[in-house]
mmCIF file of all heavy atoms in Angstrom:
data_model
loop_
_atom_site.group_PDB
_atom_site.id
_atom_site.type_symbol
_atom_site.label_atom_id
_atom_site.label_comp_id
_atom_site.label_asym_id
_atom_site.label_seq_id
_atom_site.Cartn_x
_atom_site.Cartn_y
_atom_site.Cartn_z
ATOM 1 N N PRO B 989 19.353 16.493 4.423
ATOM 2 C CA PRO B 989 19.401 16.836 2.994
ATOM 3 C C PRO B 989 20.605 16.205 2.284
ATOM 4 O O PRO B 989 20.611 16.090 1.065
ATOM 5 C CB PRO B 989 19.525 18.367 2.999
ATOM 6 C CG PRO B 989 19.072 18.812 4.345
ATOM 7 C CD PRO B 989 19.344 17.689 5.295
ATOM 8 N N SER B 990 21.603 15.781 3.042
ATOM 9 C CA SER B 990 22.808 15.206 2.430
ATOM 10 C C SER B 990 22.613 13.753 2.016
ATOM 11 O O SER B 990 23.441 13.195 1.305
ATOM 12 C CB SER B 990 23.973 15.278 3.426
ATOM 13 O OG SER B 990 23.676 14.475 4.561
ATOM 14 N N VAL B 991 21.528 13.133 2.462
ATOM 15 C CA VAL B 991 21.325 11.705 2.186
ATOM 16 C C VAL B 991 20.628 11.527 0.838
ATOM 17 O O VAL B 991 19.616 12.182 0.573
ATOM 18 C CB VAL B 991 20.478 11.059 3.313
ATOM 19 C CG1 VAL B 991 20.058 9.644 2.940
ATOM 20 C CG2 VAL B 991 21.265 11.055 4.620
ATOM 21 N N ASP B 992 21.175 10.664 -0.034
ATOM 22 C CA ASP B 992 20.513 10.377 -1.314
ATOM 23 C C ASP B 992 20.215 8.876 -1.416
ATOM 24 O O ASP B 992 20.478 8.116 -0.481
ATOM 25 C CB ASP B 992 21.363 10.873 -2.495
ATOM 26 C CG ASP B 992 22.722 10.187 -2.554
ATOM 27 O OD1 ASP B 992 22.845 9.051 -2.040
ATOM 28 O OD2 ASP B 992 23.665 10.778 -3.109
ATOM 29 N N TRP B 993 19.667 8.467 -2.573
ATOM 30 C CA TRP B 993 19.213 7.070 -2.695
ATOM 31 C C TRP B 993 20.378 6.092 -2.678
ATOM 32 O O TRP B 993 20.181 4.900 -2.456
ATOM 33 C CB TRP B 993 18.342 6.891 -3.946
ATOM 34 C CG TRP B 993 17.000 7.517 -3.746
ATOM 35 C CD1 TRP B 993 16.576 8.731 -4.229
ATOM 36 C CD2 TRP B 993 15.916 7.018 -2.953
ATOM 37 N NE1 TRP B 993 15.313 9.006 -3.784
ATOM 38 C CE2 TRP B 993 14.873 7.977 -3.010
ATOM 39 C CE3 TRP B 993 15.713 5.853 -2.199
ATOM 40 C CZ2 TRP B 993 13.654 7.805 -2.342
ATOM 41 C CZ3 TRP B 993 14.501 5.686 -1.540
ATOM 42 C CH2 TRP B 993 13.495 6.649 -1.617
ATOM 43 N N ASP B 994 21.623 6.557 -2.888
ATOM 44 C CA ASP B 994 22.769 5.650 -2.794
ATOM 45 C C ASP B 994 23.233 5.461 -1.361
ATOM 46 O O ASP B 994 23.866 4.464 -1.044
ATOM 47 C CB ASP B 994 23.940 6.194 -3.629
ATOM 48 C CG ASP B 994 23.620 6.185 -5.114
ATOM 49 O OD1 ASP B 994 22.880 5.276 -5.544
ATOM 50 O OD2 ASP B 994 24.085 7.088 -5.835
ATOM 51 N N THR B 995 22.960 6.463 -0.502
ATOM 52 C CA THR B 995 23.514 6.399 0.855
ATOM 53 C C THR B 995 22.452 6.173 1.927
ATOM 54 O O THR B 995 22.783 5.982 3.081
ATOM 55 C CB THR B 995 24.265 7.704 1.193
ATOM 56 O OG1 THR B 995 23.350 8.804 1.074
ATOM 57 C CG2 THR B 995 25.444 7.917 0.260
ATOM 58 N N VAL B 996 21.174 6.201 1.532
ATOM 59 C CA VAL B 996 20.119 6.133 2.553
ATOM 60 C C VAL B 996 20.132 4.795 3.295
ATOM 61 O O VAL B 996 20.281 3.726 2.690
ATOM 62 C CB VAL B 996 18.728 6.408 1.927
ATOM 63 C CG1 VAL B 996 18.337 5.314 0.943
ATOM 64 C CG2 VAL B 996 17.664 6.559 3.011
ATOM 65 N N ASP B 997 20.035 4.874 4.621
ATOM 66 C CA ASP B 997 19.927 3.682 5.458
ATOM 67 C C ASP B 997 18.641 3.830 6.264
ATOM 68 O O ASP B 997 18.604 4.518 7.286
ATOM 69 C CB ASP B 997 21.151 3.581 6.384
ATOM 70 C CG ASP B 997 20.984 2.468 7.417
ATOM 71 O OD1 ASP B 997 20.058 1.644 7.284
ATOM 72 O OD2 ASP B 997 21.796 2.426 8.368
ATOM 73 N N PHE B 998 17.589 3.174 5.787
ATOM 74 C CA PHE B 998 16.276 3.369 6.411
ATOM 75 C C PHE B 998 16.270 2.932 7.877
ATOM 76 O O PHE B 998 15.525 3.473 8.677
ATOM 77 C CB PHE B 998 15.188 2.660 5.602
ATOM 78 C CG PHE B 998 14.612 3.533 4.523
ATOM 79 C CD1 PHE B 998 15.108 3.483 3.231
ATOM 80 C CD2 PHE B 998 13.589 4.433 4.806
ATOM 81 C CE1 PHE B 998 14.581 4.311 2.238
ATOM 82 C CE2 PHE B 998 13.068 5.255 3.827
ATOM 83 C CZ PHE B 998 13.570 5.196 2.535
ATOM 84 N N ASP B 999 17.149 1.961 8.240
ATOM 85 C CA ASP B 999 17.152 1.504 9.629
ATOM 86 C C ASP B 999 17.703 2.561 10.586
ATOM 87 O O ASP B 999 17.517 2.465 11.788
ATOM 88 C CB ASP B 999 17.974 0.215 9.762
ATOM 89 C CG ASP B 999 17.294 -0.941 9.041
ATOM 90 O OD1 ASP B 999 16.048 -0.974 9.042
ATOM 91 O OD2 ASP B 999 18.001 -1.781 8.467
ATOM 92 N N SER B 1000 18.376 3.585 10.040
ATOM 93 C CA SER B 1000 19.044 4.560 10.908
ATOM 94 C C SER B 1000 18.101 5.655 11.408
ATOM 95 O O SER B 1000 18.473 6.430 12.282
ATOM 96 C CB SER B 1000 20.206 5.212 10.153
ATOM 97 O OG SER B 1000 19.699 6.056 9.126
ATOM 98 N N ALA B 1001 16.900 5.746 10.854
ATOM 99 C CA ALA B 1001 15.995 6.839 11.252
ATOM 100 C C ALA B 1001 14.728 6.269 11.882
ATOM 101 O O ALA B 1001 14.259 5.198 11.487
ATOM 102 C CB ALA B 1001 15.635 7.687 10.033
ATOM 103 N N PRO B 1002 14.178 6.974 12.874
ATOM 104 C CA PRO B 1002 12.926 6.502 13.466
ATOM 105 C C PRO B 1002 11.766 6.713 12.500
ATOM 106 O O PRO B 1002 11.804 7.621 11.655
ATOM 107 C CB PRO B 1002 12.760 7.380 14.706
ATOM 108 C CG PRO B 1002 13.514 8.629 14.393
ATOM 109 C CD PRO B 1002 14.637 8.239 13.466
ATOM 110 N N SER B 1003 10.747 5.879 12.614
ATOM 111 C CA SER B 1003 9.549 6.081 11.797
ATOM 112 C C SER B 1003 8.856 7.352 12.276
ATOM 113 O O SER B 1003 8.905 7.671 13.468
ATOM 114 C CB SER B 1003 8.614 4.890 11.943
ATOM 115 O OG SER B 1003 8.203 4.758 13.281
ATOM 116 N N ILE B 1004 8.249 8.069 11.354
ATOM 117 C CA ILE B 1004 7.528 9.292 11.742
ATOM 118 C C ILE B 1004 6.310 8.896 12.564
ATOM 119 O O ILE B 1004 5.549 8.000 12.166
ATOM 120 C CB ILE B 1004 7.083 10.097 10.505
ATOM 121 C CG1 ILE B 1004 8.291 10.499 9.656
ATOM 122 C CG2 ILE B 1004 6.298 11.343 10.934
ATOM 123 C CD1 ILE B 1004 7.903 11.084 8.298
ATOM 124 N N GLN B 1005 6.131 9.544 13.714
ATOM 125 C CA GLN B 1005 4.893 9.370 14.481
ATOM 126 C C GLN B 1005 4.248 10.764 14.616
ATOM 127 O O GLN B 1005 3.524 11.171 13.733
ATOM 128 C CB GLN B 1005 5.176 8.707 15.841
ATOM 129 C CG GLN B 1005 5.704 7.259 15.710
ATOM 130 C CD GLN B 1005 4.614 6.236 15.480
ATOM 131 O OE1 GLN B 1005 3.432 6.462 15.707
ATOM 132 N NE2 GLN B 1005 4.983 5.048 15.002
ATOM 133 N N GLU B 1006 4.556 11.516 15.689
ATOM 134 C CA GLU B 1006 3.999 12.864 15.828
ATOM 135 C C GLU B 1006 4.580 13.768 14.742
ATOM 136 O O GLU B 1006 5.758 13.677 14.416
ATOM 137 C CB GLU B 1006 4.333 13.430 17.211
ATOM 138 C CG GLU B 1006 3.635 12.682 18.334
ATOM 139 C CD GLU B 1006 3.907 13.281 19.708
ATOM 140 O OE1 GLU B 1006 4.640 14.282 19.809
ATOM 141 O OE2 GLU B 1006 3.373 12.732 20.683
ATOM 142 N N LEU B 1007 3.750 14.641 14.203
ATOM 143 C CA LEU B 1007 4.198 15.518 13.122
ATOM 144 C C LEU B 1007 4.581 16.900 13.665
ATOM 145 O O LEU B 1007 4.105 17.311 14.723
ATOM 146 C CB LEU B 1007 3.089 15.667 12.080
ATOM 147 C CG LEU B 1007 2.916 14.452 11.158
ATOM 148 C CD1 LEU B 1007 1.637 14.573 10.342
ATOM 149 C CD2 LEU B 1007 4.120 14.295 10.237
ATOM 150 N N PRO B 1008 5.442 17.626 12.930
ATOM 151 C CA PRO B 1008 5.825 18.983 13.342
ATOM 152 C C PRO B 1008 4.733 20.012 13.030
ATOM 153 O O PRO B 1008 3.767 19.713 12.330
ATOM 154 C CB PRO B 1008 7.078 19.252 12.507
ATOM 155 C CG PRO B 1008 6.922 18.410 11.290
ATOM 156 C CD PRO B 1008 6.145 17.186 11.705
ATOM 157 N N VAL B 1009 4.926 21.228 13.549
ATOM 158 C CA VAL B 1009 3.937 22.300 13.367
ATOM 159 C C VAL B 1009 3.836 22.674 11.890
ATOM 160 O O VAL B 1009 4.831 22.677 11.158
ATOM 161 C CB VAL B 1009 4.281 23.525 14.268
ATOM 162 C CG1 VAL B 1009 5.643 24.109 13.926
ATOM 163 C CG2 VAL B 1009 3.168 24.568 14.220
ATOM 164 N N GLN B 1010 2.617 22.944 11.462
ATOM 165 C CA GLN B 1010 2.325 23.138 10.033
ATOM 166 C C GLN B 1010 1.312 24.264 9.842
ATOM 167 O O GLN B 1010 0.418 24.450 10.700
ATOM 168 C CB GLN B 1010 1.742 21.828 9.483
ATOM 169 C CG GLN B 1010 1.273 21.822 8.055
ATOM 170 C CD GLN B 1010 2.409 21.946 7.057
ATOM 171 O OE1 GLN B 1010 3.027 22.996 6.945
ATOM 172 N NE2 GLN B 1010 2.671 20.858 6.322
ATOM 173 N N SER B 1011 1.436 25.018 8.765
ATOM 174 C CA SER B 1011 0.367 25.950 8.379
ATOM 175 C C SER B 1011 0.473 26.235 6.895
ATOM 176 O O SER B 1011 1.546 26.045 6.300
ATOM 177 C CB SER B 1011 0.450 27.266 9.166
ATOM 178 O OG SER B 1011 1.564 28.028 8.751
ATOM 179 N N ALA B 1012 -0.631 26.667 6.294
ATOM 180 C CA ALA B 1012 -0.613 27.032 4.876
ATOM 181 C C ALA B 1012 -1.717 28.029 4.583
ATOM 182 O O ALA B 1012 -2.718 28.106 5.304
ATOM 183 C CB ALA B 1012 -0.763 25.791 3.994
ATOM 184 N N ILE B 1013 -1.489 28.783 3.522
ATOM 185 C CA ILE B 1013 -2.453 29.775 3.034
ATOM 186 C C ILE B 1013 -3.351 29.099 2.004
ATOM 187 O O ILE B 1013 -2.847 28.430 1.092
ATOM 188 C CB ILE B 1013 -1.707 30.952 2.375
ATOM 189 C CG1 ILE B 1013 -0.777 31.636 3.381
ATOM 190 C CG2 ILE B 1013 -2.687 31.938 1.742
ATOM 191 C CD1 ILE B 1013 0.340 32.441 2.736
ATOM 192 N N THR B 1014 -4.664 29.240 2.157
ATOM 193 C CA THR B 1014 -5.570 28.664 1.156
ATOM 194 C C THR B 1014 -6.238 29.747 0.315
ATOM 195 O O THR B 1014 -6.794 29.463 -0.731
ATOM 196 C CB THR B 1014 -6.659 27.818 1.846
ATOM 197 O OG1 THR B 1014 -7.289 28.611 2.845
ATOM 198 C CG2 THR B 1014 -6.056 26.576 2.495
ATOM 199 N N GLU B 1015 -6.200 30.978 0.771
ATOM 200 C CA GLU B 1015 -6.791 32.096 0.042
ATOM 201 C C GLU B 1015 -6.018 33.368 0.353
ATOM 202 O O GLU B 1015 -5.763 33.620 1.532
ATOM 203 C CB GLU B 1015 -8.256 32.267 0.504
ATOM 204 C CG GLU B 1015 -9.066 33.207 -0.351
ATOM 205 C CD GLU B 1015 -10.457 33.444 0.262
ATOM 206 O OE1 GLU B 1015 -11.125 32.453 0.609
ATOM 207 O OE2 GLU B 1015 -10.833 34.611 0.411
ATOM 208 N N PRO B 1016 -5.585 34.159 -0.630
ATOM 209 C CA PRO B 1016 -5.725 33.914 -2.069
ATOM 210 C C PRO B 1016 -4.777 32.811 -2.531
ATOM 211 O O PRO B 1016 -3.953 32.336 -1.771
ATOM 212 C CB PRO B 1016 -5.333 35.261 -2.674
ATOM 213 C CG PRO B 1016 -4.424 35.894 -1.668
ATOM 214 C CD PRO B 1016 -4.863 35.408 -0.337
ATOM 215 N N LYS B 1017 -4.947 32.407 -3.806
ATOM 216 C CA LYS B 1017 -4.100 31.362 -4.359
ATOM 217 C C LYS B 1017 -2.900 31.991 -5.062
ATOM 218 O O LYS B 1017 -2.958 33.128 -5.543
ATOM 219 C CB LYS B 1017 -4.897 30.519 -5.367
ATOM 220 C CG LYS B 1017 -5.885 29.611 -4.663
ATOM 221 C CD LYS B 1017 -6.235 28.408 -5.513
ATOM 222 C CE LYS B 1017 -6.951 28.793 -6.795
ATOM 223 N NZ LYS B 1017 -7.233 27.605 -7.628
ATOM 224 N N ASP B 1018 -1.818 31.238 -5.132
ATOM 225 C CA ASP B 1018 -0.607 31.702 -5.801
ATOM 226 C C ASP B 1018 -0.934 32.114 -7.238
ATOM 227 O O ASP B 1018 -1.640 31.398 -7.948
ATOM 228 C CB ASP B 1018 0.434 30.580 -5.801
ATOM 229 C CG ASP B 1018 1.818 31.084 -6.144
ATOM 230 O OD1 ASP B 1018 2.239 32.106 -5.553
ATOM 231 O OD2 ASP B 1018 2.464 30.474 -7.014
ATOM 232 N N GLY B 1019 -0.462 33.295 -7.654
ATOM 233 C CA GLY B 1019 -0.667 33.743 -9.023
ATOM 234 C C GLY B 1019 -1.965 34.506 -9.236
ATOM 235 O O GLY B 1019 -2.215 35.034 -10.330
ATOM 236 N N GLU B 1020 -2.803 34.582 -8.214
ATOM 237 C CA GLU B 1020 -4.083 35.281 -8.329
ATOM 238 C C GLU B 1020 -3.878 36.797 -8.365
ATOM 239 O O GLU B 1020 -2.820 37.296 -7.986
ATOM 240 C CB GLU B 1020 -4.935 34.939 -7.107
ATOM 241 C CG GLU B 1020 -6.369 34.549 -7.395
ATOM 242 C CD GLU B 1020 -7.053 34.039 -6.139
ATOM 243 O OE1 GLU B 1020 -7.384 34.873 -5.281
ATOM 244 O OE2 GLU B 1020 -7.245 32.807 -6.029
ATOM 245 N N THR B 1021 -4.912 37.513 -8.785
ATOM 246 C CA THR B 1021 -4.891 38.971 -8.700
ATOM 247 C C THR B 1021 -5.895 39.402 -7.640
ATOM 248 O O THR B 1021 -7.017 38.921 -7.634
ATOM 249 C CB THR B 1021 -5.260 39.590 -10.071
ATOM 250 O OG1 THR B 1021 -4.321 39.094 -11.032
ATOM 251 C CG2 THR B 1021 -5.195 41.099 -10.037
ATOM 252 N N VAL B 1022 -5.475 40.278 -6.717
ATOM 253 C CA VAL B 1022 -6.383 40.749 -5.661
ATOM 254 C C VAL B 1022 -6.671 42.234 -5.840
ATOM 255 O O VAL B 1022 -5.915 42.953 -6.493
ATOM 256 C CB VAL B 1022 -5.801 40.486 -4.246
ATOM 257 C CG1 VAL B 1022 -5.540 39.000 -4.036
ATOM 258 C CG2 VAL B 1022 -4.531 41.290 -4.009
ATOM 259 N N GLN B 1023 -7.813 42.671 -5.256
ATOM 260 C CA GLN B 1023 -8.205 44.078 -5.323
ATOM 261 C C GLN B 1023 -7.294 44.924 -4.424
ATOM 262 O O GLN B 1023 -6.894 44.468 -3.357
ATOM 263 C CB GLN B 1023 -9.647 44.243 -4.826
ATOM 264 C CG GLN B 1023 -10.675 43.442 -5.602
ATOM 265 C CD GLN B 1023 -10.849 43.952 -7.018
ATOM 266 O OE1 GLN B 1023 -10.995 45.162 -7.216
ATOM 267 N NE2 GLN B 1023 -10.796 43.072 -7.996
#
Side-chain angles (χ1 to χ4, degrees):
S990 64
V991 171
D992 61 25
W993 287 101
D994 294 327
T995 59
V996 65
D997 172 12
F998 271 94
D999 293 325
S1000 70
S1003 61
I1004 301 170
Q1005 295 279 343
E1006 293 183 0
L1007 284 169
V1009 61
Q1010 176 69 290
S1011 71
I1013 300 159
T1014 53
E1015 191 186 311
K1017 287 204 296 178
D1018 195 48
E1020 227 172 75
T1021 302
V1022 301
Q1023 301 292 312

